[in-house]
Structure formats: C-alpha cells, structure tokens
Amino acid sequence: MLKYYDRFDEWGRLEREPLEFIINMQVIRSHLPPHGTILDNGAGSGKYAMALAQAGYQVTLTDLSARLIEDAKQRISALEWRDRVEGCHVADAQELGRFADASFDATLMMGPMYHLQGAGQREKAARELRRVTKAGGVVFVAFMSRERQAATYLLDPASWPPCDTHAGIREFLDTGVFNHRDEGRFTGAYAFPLAEIVPFMEGMGFETVKLIASESVGGMTPDRLDAWRSGGEAEFRRIVRLLVDLSENPSFLGGSPHLLYVGRVPQD
C-alpha cells in the first residue's frame, strides 16, 4: 500500500474527480465551528488541510507516507497562510501518541479506513481519532462502499484481478479485502458494507450526524461540471448546492465509491 501511494498522485486524483472534494468540503465546512484546531489524519498531500487553513483554521497533518508528507510540506511552504499549519508528521492512524487527549476541535480521517484490512486495526484507528478529538468535537471519516466497489470489479474484471473470477469477487463481497494482483496498482484495500458503517462508528463511541455519498451523482467529470459552470457562477453554485443535497439521499449511498461519515464525540 505504501509503495502505491509513494508513486500515486492523490492530489491529482481529486482534481480529476472533483465532485468528491467539492461535496466533502461543503459538508465539512457546514459542520465545523467558526474557528479552531483541526487534525487531518491520513492527509496525503494535504488538499483538505490546505483548504481548511485557507479558511482560517489551524491545521495539523499526519500521513503514513513520508513522500506524501514531504509533498505537503513543499506545497504549504508556498502558501500565504502557511503559518496556520502547525505541523506535518509521518504517523500511523492507529498510533497518534504524539498528540494528547482532546487536542483538536475537529478531526478528519479521509483515507486510512480504505486500507486497514484488519478489524482490530480499524477499531484502533477509530479509537485514536476519538481520543484526540475534544468532547463535542466533530469528526469526518471517509469510507469505501463495498457494494460500489463490487460493481466496479464486476463491470471491468480484467482491470481488477483477483476479482476477475467468481471466487475472487465472492471473497471480496464476503470480506471487503482487496489485494490487487498486478504490481503498482491500488491494493491493500478494505471496503465497508454500507449497512455496517454507522453501527461501527457508534460502537467506537461516536454520535452520528449523517452519512453522505461523496460523489452524489456519479460520473460528474471536470468537463461535465464545466458545462454547468458555463451558465454563470450563480447557476454553478446552485448546482453544487443541489449535488450536496442529493448526497444525503439514501438512494445514492450504495452507488457512491466514497462515503463520508460525520459524527461527534459526546459531551462529557
């Protein structure tokens, strides 16, 4: 998994698939306090963290990949608001010992749950996120949908071995674990069944606010978004608002490759 992200352009992926970032940021901003400290745990190259720093929050980044953390540092060094970034650290989402309990007003975990294949690993990461978030603080956790991933594999089996056989796709549906057979491809992955996400997070001590489909209407490529933008900025903002509204429609959840859980740490 680390080898994959040490080569992969995650920043560029969010540019090529912009709807995920647009919807997630709209939802994140709508649930944050007016100001405060934010941990972006599993930040990658820091796209979410930098947008939040630009909005006035004090942010801290962690990621398991030293290469991605170095990329984030280089990007941040050129920003006018770089003083709002309090640190960029190489860290495992399961081990946030460098941070004291209740250190942050809000926390993001936008990638680790895609790759923690063991149940104990997922529980440990969720508990660490809860530990470092203040009581009453909001958390945002991204998940991959097992149902949508299975559809992707079924529609293009040649691209996703070992899910190119009945036995392979059956095993994925049963376990959620995916290890690509081809070197250098997306691997070491885990996808949650849709129905298990909210119970899992509540079992880790969070109060659920909502679960949304990050892509809402799938297939909204940059050129398709630009077609709406050509109608003027006001019209484009209305369309984005509509897409955000649709992201909460349960009918879209199973069809979205990525989901965003919004929760809170209960008040003491």
Side-chain angles (χ1 to χ4, degrees):
M1 185 267 288
L2 263 181
K3 287 182 179 179
Y4 174 79
Y5 281 105
D6 281 344
R7 292 190 295 262
F8 185 67
D9 179 15
E10 177 64 13
W11 184 286
R13 182 188 75 80
L14 291 172
E15 301 263 330
R16 295 188 299 274
E17 303 170 14
L19 190 59
E20 178 186 350
F21 181 75
I22 290 170
I23 288 178
N24 282 347
M25 278 303 302
Q26 292 271 331
V27 172
I28 289 167
R29 288 295 308 275
S30 71
H31 288 87
L32 286 174
H35 50 78
T37 56
I38 298 175
L39 171 66
D40 190 352
N41 179 31
S45 294
K47 192 171 180 69
Y48 286 98
M50 291 180 215
L52 293 167
Q54 184 179 14
Y57 295 93
Q58 295 295 126
V59 301
T60 300
L61 290 73
T62 62
D63 199 89
L64 188 59
S65 168
R67 200 275 296 177
L68 290 178
I69 286 295
E70 186 58 35
D71 185 29
K73 287 179 179 178
Q74 292 178 9
R75 292 177 185 275
I76 289 164
S77 67
L79 302 177
E80 293 180 7
W81 52 87
R82 56 186 175 273
D83 59 324
R84 297 181 197 148
V85 178
E86 297 187 341
C88 298
H89 308 284
V90 177
D92 189 324
Q94 303 171 75
E95 299 287 349
L96 299 177
R98 67 172 59 245
F99 305 120
D101 295 358
S103 292
F104 300 96
D105 296 300
T107 51
L108 283 68
M109 191 158 66
M110 305 300 288
M113 284 298 179
Y114 301 166
H115 295 288
L116 296 171
Q117 294 181 321
Q121 294 175 308
R122 296 188 292 275
E123 291 171 5
K124 194 172 183 182
R127 289 194 177 104
E128 276 291 85
L129 198 71
R130 188 185 188 282
R131 180 185 67 79
V132 301
T133 309
K134 295 178 181 178
V138 65
V139 300
F140 307 92
V141 182
F143 293 86
M144 288 200 312
S145 158
R146 190 176 302 182
E147 292 82 355
R148 182 62 183 86
Q149 288 302 116
T152 297
Y153 303 155
L154 283 164
L155 290 168
D156 186 16
S159 296
W160 300 103
C163 288
D164 54 350
T165 66
H166 175 269
I169 196 73
R170 183 70 263 173
E171 183 176 1
F172 171 74
L173 283 166
D174 290 341
T175 66
V177 170
F178 178 77
N179 293 303
H180 209 296
R181 201 162 59 221
D182 296 344
E183 183 69 24
R185 295 293 304 277
F186 183 78
T187 193
Y190 180 80
F192 265 78
L194 178 59
E196 293 182 11
I197 294 172
V198 168
F200 170 78
M201 292 300 289
E202 292 182 349
M204 295 298 102
F206 297 98
E207 296 175 347
T208 297
V209 176
K210 64 176 65 173
L211 179 68
I212 68 147
S214 296
E215 276 94 337
S216 182
V217 178
M220 189 65 75
T221 55
D223 58 314
R224 289 168 177 161
L225 278 175
D226 286 343
W228 285 107
R229 189 177 275 111
S230 66
E233 196 58 33
E235 178 72 354
F236 182 70
R237 285 196 299 269
R238 285 191 286 267
I239 289 298
V240 168
R241 183 67 257 168
L242 175 62
L243 291 168
V244 172
D245 290 344
L246 289 173
S247 74
E248 297 187 37
N249 187 317
S251 300
F252 287 93
L253 290 174
S256 178
H258 301 97
L259 305 166
L260 183 66
Y261 175 89
V262 184
R264 290 191 183 280
V265 174
Q267 295 279 1
D268 295 334

